[in-house]
Amino acid sequence: DSEFPPDTGINPYLTMQKSPCIHLTRAGGLRLSNTIQAHDMAVSGIALHPRKKIVATVSDDHTWKMWAIPSGEAVMTGEGHSDWISDCCFHPDGTKLATASGDTTIKIWDFSKAKCTQTFTDHSHAVWGVSWHTCGDFIASCSLDHSAKIWDLNSLRCRTTLRGHTDSVNSVSFLPFSNTLVSSSADKTVSLWDARTGLCVQTFYGHMHSCNDAAFNLKGDTIASCDAYGIVKFWNIATSSMRLSVDIGPHPANKITFDPTGVLLAVACNDGSIKMVEVNTGKVTTLSGHEDAVQTIAFDQSGEYLLSGGSDATVRIWS
């Protein structure tokens, strides 16, 4: 079994935090700069390579692909899942990719060996999300079976099952450089967990509808969450209170991501738009370009690009 690293909670990326790029602070400053015809069906998840200008995409067409950004050149394709793929996440050193699928499995793909090296099969229903621990020895997954699980990449077993949600667990993600996870669920709650014990540390109540996603800001002091009626909420972790609630509905908000400075939250919306929410004021601007629901969204580490994937089978690059 792998050891969990000490929870010192220092994120080295914080020293790289600059004031936000001018195009982010200026309303409507992002422009659609490229469109990749990525898959044959909906793009359900994207992940940015930690070291290279590469994005991985996963799709309802059962495949994952990698692309150079911003050019959109194809780099690699992977096949092996027997159903739609919902999410992907790069190993912190960028040598492997984890994928989660409707076939109830999580697969680990090793680029140096150019194949799937491990399949985890303990979930009893579709797997919605996957997140890699910064140390690289653990991944977390979440499922329609009402649970999240922590997997050990060295002993190749499920180390602990996070139980407490009473409906589908729709997202799970590690706070970088820590053993803390956040999950969101169809039971309308957002929960914090300690991966070492598998225990729920805190639950946030306030959503009236199924929660589709929850994310930490880079500092790790704020969680954002979004639900099936387009309500976005910001939570103060220290006081476990709600800081702000923004209604960008009535369409579902599918996925959210903070920009690296924590000033903006990008929301992938089911009406085909991307909403940019100013974290301090709740002011909303809209990016239009997708021709169908936006399913997934990510900033690169510099905050220079925003990438989105949607039901129109495209990945769009905004800069």
Side-chain angles (χ1 to χ4, degrees):
D1 279 355
S2 315
E3 288 285 307
F4 282 96
D7 220 341
T8 48
I10 304 292
N11 184 339
Y13 292 130
L14 286 176
T15 56
M16 299 163 16
Q17 269 200 310
K18 300 181 282 291
S19 54
C21 308
I22 186 69
H23 63 253
L24 288 178
T25 51
R26 201 175 65 238
L30 283 167
R31 294 273 178 273
L32 180 59
S33 62
N34 197 8
T35 297
I36 305 171
Q37 299 296 330
H39 287 271
D40 299 333
M41 293 167 79
V43 177
S44 47
I46 52 181
L48 280 132
H49 193 285
R51 302 196 176 155
K52 299 181 179 151
K53 291 228 178 256
I54 284 177
V55 62
T57 61
V58 295
S59 167
D60 289 2
D61 66 13
H62 306 191
T63 68
W64 61 265
K65 297 183 181 181
M66 289 204 294
W67 313 85
I69 49 172
S71 70
E73 262 179 90
V75 177
M76 196 182 276
T77 302
E79 291 177 24
H81 281 293
S82 60
D83 208 336
W84 45 263
I85 309 179
S86 53
D87 195 20
C88 61
C89 187
F90 278 104
H91 185 286
D93 69 9
T95 56
K96 300 183 183 81
L97 186 76
T99 55
S101 170
D103 65 14
T104 77
T105 69
I106 299 108
K107 286 183 182 287
I108 310 294
W109 308 82
D110 188 322
F111 304 137
S112 63
K113 297 181 179 141
K115 65 175 189 183
C116 170
T117 51
Q118 182 61 31
T119 303
F120 293 115
T121 56
D122 289 15
H123 280 296
S124 56
H125 286 289
V127 186
W128 291 124
V130 65
S131 174
W132 221 296
H133 191 297
T134 313
C135 73
D137 292 329
F138 304 97
I139 54 171
S141 63
C142 62
S143 168
L144 184 58
D145 66 13
H146 303 189
S147 77
K149 289 179 184 286
I150 311 288
W151 308 88
D152 188 321
L153 271 294
N154 291 315
S155 58
L156 299 178
R157 69 186 188 93
C158 175
R159 281 287 291 271
T160 179
T161 299
L162 312 181
R163 298 182 203 280
H165 285 299
T166 56
D167 205 333
S168 173
V169 186
N170 294 332
S171 76
V172 67
S173 62
F174 276 105
L175 174 64
F177 302 93
S178 105
N179 296 310
T180 303
L181 301 121
V182 64
S183 64
S184 67
S185 169
D187 67 12
K188 309 175 190 169
T189 67
V190 173
S191 288
L192 280 178
W193 308 80
D194 187 326
R196 295 163 297 187
T197 59
L199 296 176
C200 180
V201 187
Q202 209 168 322
T203 299
F204 301 92
Y205 299 93
H207 281 287
M208 308 300 284
H209 305 281
S210 170
C211 287
N212 289 335
D213 197 18
F216 291 105
N217 64 349
L218 195 57
K219 267 194 191 141
D221 61 7
T222 304
I223 291 170
S225 57
C226 65
D227 72 21
Y229 272 66
I231 307 289
V232 173
K233 292 184 185 291
F234 296 94
W235 310 88
N236 181 323
I237 297 176
T239 61
S240 58
S241 58
M242 189 173 72
R243 239 187 52 215
L244 183 66
S245 184
V246 183
D247 184 349
I248 55 169
H251 298 280
N254 293 324
K255 278 276 186 281
I256 50 177
T257 184
F258 281 97
D259 85 297
T261 62
V263 170
L264 283 173
L265 184 79
V267 187
C269 297
N270 220 54
D271 63 358
S273 71
I274 296 164
K275 303 277 195 252
M276 306 298 283
V277 182
E278 287 179 23
V279 175
N280 291 328
T281 62
K283 188 167 158 261
V284 179
T285 47
T286 301
L287 300 178
S288 302
H290 280 283
E291 285 155 29
D292 202 345
V294 188
Q295 299 294 352
T296 179
I297 195 154
F299 279 100
D300 75 324
Q301 272 170 343
S302 64
E304 194 184 343
Y305 301 108
L306 176 69
L307 290 100
S308 58
S311 297
D312 58 8
T314 67
V315 170
R316 296 185 190 251
I317 302 173
W318 312 80
S319 59

